[in-house]
Amino acid sequence: MRLGVGIIVLNKNNNVFVGKRKDNPINNWQMPQGGIDKGESPLVAMKRELEEETSITNIKILKELEGWIEYELPPNLLGKIWRGKYRGQSQKWFIVRFLGDENEINLKTKNPEFIEWKWIEHNLLPSVIVKFKKKVYEKLSIEIKKFIN
């Protein structure tokens, strides 16, 4: 399993940031996420990935979710993603509050991953993600609901 982080970015209305991936532009959206580099803590990786993917730096960390959440790649993607090194990912998730102005969000980064972004209600998360990450997003939606209620 590849070690990674995921970031649930909430705006002031408790809506969640999602981006449409450059490599999967059909109507699938996801929250920012990425790998943990060697020697990097999950917290440092979270901040780096968020900035690399969205340019967002103006945040307040609200919660680090307990444990790690795993998913496995479907057979058609095995050997194609991550140069075939991993069969899935084990992720540490964080909930953060976006404190900046929306013009801070810029997807035209050094290595863009998203082509479009929007805010959605947390309960819509499982319906916008690729099928093989649906269970992850169902768990995350429950965590968000507990947190914002």
Side-chain angles (χ1 to χ4, degrees):
M1 287 282 184
R2 177 181 185 229
L3 290 183
V5 293
I7 308 103
I8 299 162
V9 182
L10 299 175
N11 66 10
K12 64 181 183 288
N13 301 318
N14 287 325
N15 289 323
V16 181
F17 177 97
V18 291
K20 187 181 279 190
R21 286 186 58 92
K22 184 175 149 185
D23 61 1
N24 191 0
I26 303 164
N27 206 23
N28 289 319
W29 300 76
Q30 74 174 41
M31 292 179 281
Q33 63 174 60
I36 298 174
D37 292 340
K38 191 176 172 114
E40 194 175 43
S41 71
L43 179 64
V44 169
M46 179 274 289
K47 290 178 179 177
R48 177 186 50 76
E49 282 292 338
L50 185 60
E51 184 174 5
E52 283 178 5
E53 294 183 6
T54 67
S55 304
I56 292 173
T57 58
N58 198 351
I59 59 167
K60 177 182 179 188
I61 299 165
L62 302 177
K63 183 174 183 168
E64 178 178 331
L65 297 185
E66 297 278 324
W68 295 72
I69 298 176
E70 294 186 348
Y71 70 84
E72 293 202 4
L73 293 172
N76 65 314
L77 294 179
L78 282 174
K80 294 179 180 159
I81 293 180
W82 306 310
R83 297 183 201 98
K85 285 188 197 172
Y86 308 100
R87 61 177 172 73
Q89 197 160 205
S90 184
Q91 299 174 315
K92 171 57 75 175
W93 281 86
F94 294 84
I95 300 175
V96 304
R97 171 83 59 209
F98 176 55
L99 301 173
D101 194 276
E102 286 194 0
N103 61 16
E104 176 182 333
I105 301 170
N106 178 15
L107 304 181
K108 291 180 174 61
T109 58
K110 187 177 174 189
N111 297 301
E113 291 201 26
F114 296 130
I115 55 172
E116 199 179 323
W117 68 272
K118 64 183 177 180
W119 299 104
I120 66 169
E121 292 179 20
H122 72 87
N123 58 328
L124 297 175
L125 285 169
S127 68
V128 301
I129 189 65
V130 290
K131 225 178 232 157
F132 67 91
K133 292 183 189 175
K134 186 174 181 161
K135 284 192 179 359
V136 170
Y137 273 45
E138 286 170 346
K139 285 180 191 170
L140 293 172
S141 189
I142 291 166
E143 288 298 322
I144 297 166
K145 186 177 181 177
K146 279 191 235 169
F147 186 78
I148 62 178
N149 284 346

